Amino acid sequence: MHIYEYLFTAIIIFFILVASSTMISSMPQPSLSVSEKEQLKVATQKILTQLILNTGDPPDWGSNTALDAPAAFGLAKHGETTRDAFVLDPDKVQRLSSANPLYVTPQTVANLLNLGNDYGFTIEFRQALTVELEQTGTADYNIQVTSDQNSLPIANVNVTAKAFYYANNQFACTGQASAVTSIDGRCSISFTDLPQQTQAQVLLVTVDYYGTRIVKTAVTGQIEQAALIGNHIVMNTQPNQVESTAHQVLVYKTATGYALTSVTSSFTQDSNMLSLDYAEPSAVATITFADGKAILAAKTVPQRYSTIPSATSVPFAYTVERSVTINGEAYTLQLRVWRMSW
Amino acid sequence: MPHKTHTYTHRGQSRILEAVIGAVIIFLVFTASYYLIQSSSSIPTQETADLNRLGYNVLHRIVESDTIEETLETQDSTSGAASLQMVVREALPQGIYFNLTVYNCTGNPQTPFAPNPVSVSNAPEAEMAKSKEVSSTSTTYTSKNGNIYLIILKTARAGQG
């Protein structure tokens, strides 16, 4: 065998090795990235299913003020006999609000979902319709309803409103006012029986668009916001003189539309917590009076809940949206999940 | 001696030929496996599964919120269909084409595909047919007025046609 044959064979082997290594490194890359994206999609779907269809453990962990965090995480509403799909427990959802005294941190949720440091996530709650309230006079309000997705005005929306107020330290409410939005998505509501001078005033507006319901509140006067967790009103500070009763504001559907009314409940006080004897299931807010100002306790739905609160967008994230119902209101839940390292 | 040299030359040439054939075979194997891996991608299957989940979610919202009663049963067919289209459009994320067909099969549930169904869509004509992946989800719904409906929601991602 001549030397040139050895050289020629060596060159061929060298080229085979180079070509093979190039193909090995380049070939699986698209498949690898597809596989990783598919894994992210599957992980996101599983997390979403856990969030919106699982109650967590214990099932009433949202309203249990003795619990800082659940043993297993899930936001679905628990029912003793039946359970609706895509219906979330408002007490569990408001635990995701940083304003809530029993706030559950995203890191805790990530650990409960067994995500560890591998994945990051953002949960966004958007109301199905955007409702804006503008006070134009003492008893006059402009209401505008627009689409959540493209901000286009929505016509033929049924709007029902009622004002609850304190005047001379007495709780009272106006009559119920109704209107329908015109083609520009606007309507006006006026209360003829609202006093000129009130200590505190809570306007409650219910918007109904062919079954899609949104409830909005607007407050004026001396009002302190508090959290309504289960049947507990949790205030920021301990009040000295509290009214003997609380007023639960209810919104429920009737044959002709929506009814807004209030019922009176008694409670017991323990430090900065008022425990109602009974919490109405359809209550959207509870109002009481303490130290010369009104206390408005409502269940707040956070707009955004994220493991990286400052990040507005994350590259290579997978996003899933679902329509959910929270306290009878229609929301769009958007879950965005990403890998912390690729 | 010349005979021996001739034999060595033949042996060398056959080894070169072996190496070349080996390289070609390796190249073919890699190329074939590359295309096999690519074609077995599970993206379309996953895509349809995603749309199915979304479709059932939207159908659930439509039937749970009394939308059928408030659109098709309380308005005339034209304005009821227009209202229904707006509600479905609001319920679905942007970038999704839909076609919702509502069959009123009251009194005749054995043949649910009654004539003259109410059909609403946001997709340009024939766009759904051109889409690569179309999800179809359906549900049967009895309204509070006792009417029985078969509701079929087809969804597809925009821009696939």
Side-chain angles (χ1 to χ4, degrees):
Chain A
M1 193 170 176
H2 293 288
I3 187 71
Y4 69 86
E5 290 173 350
Y6 283 114
L7 282 173
F8 199 66
T9 308
I11 289 166
I12 288 172
I13 290 169
F14 175 75
F15 276 113
I16 288 172
L17 284 173
V18 170
S20 303
S21 62
T22 308
M23 290 171 85
I24 285 168
S25 62
S26 68
M27 185 186 69
Q29 200 55 44
S31 308
L32 199 67
S33 66
V34 166
S35 169
E36 283 175 342
K37 283 175 188 167
E38 287 302 303
Q39 282 178 8
L40 186 62
K41 285 172 79 171
V42 172
T44 310
Q45 297 283 5
K46 283 183 177 175
I47 294 168
L48 186 74
T49 304
Q50 177 71 20
L51 285 180
I52 64 176
L53 297 176
N54 197 297
T55 59
D57 181 44
D60 64 340
W61 68 266
S63 57
N64 190 340
T65 52
L67 284 175
D68 289 332
F73 191 76
L75 297 174
K77 191 172 183 177
H78 173 68
E80 293 293 341
T81 51
T82 59
R83 191 186 300 166
D84 290 328
F86 309 116
V87 176
L88 305 189
D89 188 333
D91 286 319
K92 292 170 188 170
V93 172
Q94 68 172 347
R95 288 285 194 108
L96 309 182
S97 169
S98 57
N100 192 294
L102 297 172
Y103 176 60
V104 179
T105 63
Q107 281 66 36
T108 305
V109 172
N111 290 333
L112 288 169
L113 293 170
N114 208 18
L115 301 178
N117 295 321
D118 297 333
Y119 294 93
F121 68 87
T122 295
I123 302 170
E124 283 185 13
F125 294 95
R126 298 195 317 265
Q127 286 189 313
L129 302 171
T130 306
V131 182
E132 290 177 17
L133 307 178
E134 182 193 6
Q135 189 168 12
T136 53
T138 312
D140 306 311
Y141 290 88
N142 275 349
I143 296 153
Q144 183 169 32
V145 183
T146 52
S147 167
D148 154 54
Q149 295 185 17
N150 46 26
S151 300
L152 289 173
I154 298 183
N156 298 323
V157 178
N158 291 313
V159 178
T160 312
K162 197 169 194 175
F164 301 86
Y165 60 91
Y166 276 93
N168 301 322
N169 294 346
Q170 293 295 314
F171 179 80
C173 63
T174 64
Q176 194 165 298
S178 300
V180 177
T181 57
S182 57
I183 198 160
D184 62 352
R186 288 176 178 274
C187 67
S188 300
I189 275 182
S190 297
F191 299 101
T192 53
D193 51 351
L194 185 66
Q196 289 287 322
Q197 294 287 328
T198 58
Q199 291 163 290
Q201 182 179 310
V202 178
L203 174 74
L204 197 77
V205 177
T206 300
V207 162
D208 176 51
Y209 183 62
Y210 302 118
T212 301
R213 189 184 98 176
I214 301 292
V215 177
K216 274 279 199 185
T217 53
V219 294
T220 50
Q222 293 185 312
I223 287 192
E224 183 184 319
Q225 303 270 353
L228 182 63
I229 305 169
N231 59 342
H232 306 286
I233 298 172
V234 185
M235 290 178 280
N236 298 324
T237 54
Q238 182 177 346
N240 294 318
Q241 285 188 322
V242 190
E243 188 186 16
S244 59
T245 55
H247 309 277
Q248 296 187 54
V249 179
L250 317 179
V251 176
Y252 56 91
K253 203 167 188 179
T254 64
T256 53
Y258 277 94
L260 281 66
T261 187
S262 66
V263 293
T264 303
S265 308
S266 54
F267 57 79
T268 53
Q269 182 182 357
D270 179 16
S271 183
N272 65 331
M273 187 185 291
L274 310 179
S275 299
L276 299 166
D277 292 345
Y278 175 70
E280 288 284 344
S282 58
V284 293
T286 301
I287 307 169
T288 189
F289 199 76
D291 299 336
K293 58 188 173 185
I295 308 292
L296 172 67
K299 295 179 192 294
T300 50
V301 176
Q303 288 188 329
R304 197 164 182 277
Y305 181 77
S306 178
T307 51
I308 307 178
S310 56
T312 50
S313 67
V314 180
F316 308 119
Y318 186 71
T319 306
V320 193
E321 276 189 17
R322 290 288 180 270
S323 291
V324 293
T325 304
I326 306 170
N327 216 16
E329 298 179 55
Y331 279 84
T332 301
L333 184 150
Q334 188 181 75
L335 173 68
R336 187 175 299 133
V337 177
W338 61 88
R339 287 175 70 107
M340 299 301 283
S341 61
W342 287 91
Chain B
M1 287 302 283
H3 177 72
K4 209 171 180 179
T5 309
H6 186 71
T7 308
Y8 282 146
T9 307
H10 274 283
R11 277 188 194 163
Q13 285 171 351
S14 64
R15 278 180 191 144
I16 290 167
L17 196 65
E18 281 170 16
V20 169
I21 291 168
V24 168
I25 288 170
I26 289 169
F27 180 77
L28 287 175
V29 166
F30 275 107
T31 309
S33 56
Y34 180 82
Y35 282 105
L36 282 171
I37 290 169
Q38 282 289 82
S39 62
S40 66
S41 167
S42 62
I43 290 176
T45 318
Q46 185 69 26
E47 196 79 3
T48 313
D50 293 347
L51 287 172
N52 281 342
R53 291 190 192 98
L54 182 67
Y56 281 119
N57 178 238
V58 172
L59 281 176
H60 181 269
R61 175 169 159 182
I62 289 169
V63 298
E64 283 294 313
S65 61
D66 301 340
T67 300
I68 297 295
E69 284 91 335
E70 296 196 23
T71 53
L72 301 183
E73 293 190 348
T74 54
Q75 303 176 44
D76 63 72
S77 58
T78 310
S79 60
S83 303
L84 185 61
Q85 185 194 27
M86 283 293 290
V87 172
V88 180
R89 186 179 287 178
E90 282 297 312
L92 282 166
Q94 286 184 318
I96 300 285
Y97 285 142
F98 70 86
N99 186 313
L100 182 81
T101 309
V102 183
Y103 294 93
N104 187 342
C105 48
T106 310
N108 198 11
Q110 280 77 26
T111 52
F113 298 103
N116 303 321
V118 176
S119 187
V120 294
S121 175
N122 70 338
E125 204 166 331
E127 192 66 29
M128 292 285 279
K130 281 195 277 181
S131 294
K132 288 174 185 165
E133 294 293 324
V134 179
S135 155
S136 179
T137 48
S138 64
T139 188
T140 307
Y141 173 61
T142 305
S143 74
K144 291 182 174 58
N145 297 325
N147 293 320
I148 302 169
Y149 297 96
L150 173 66
I151 309 171
I152 299 174
L153 176 64
K154 290 178 184 169
T155 49
R157 291 203 185 275
Q160 280 194 343

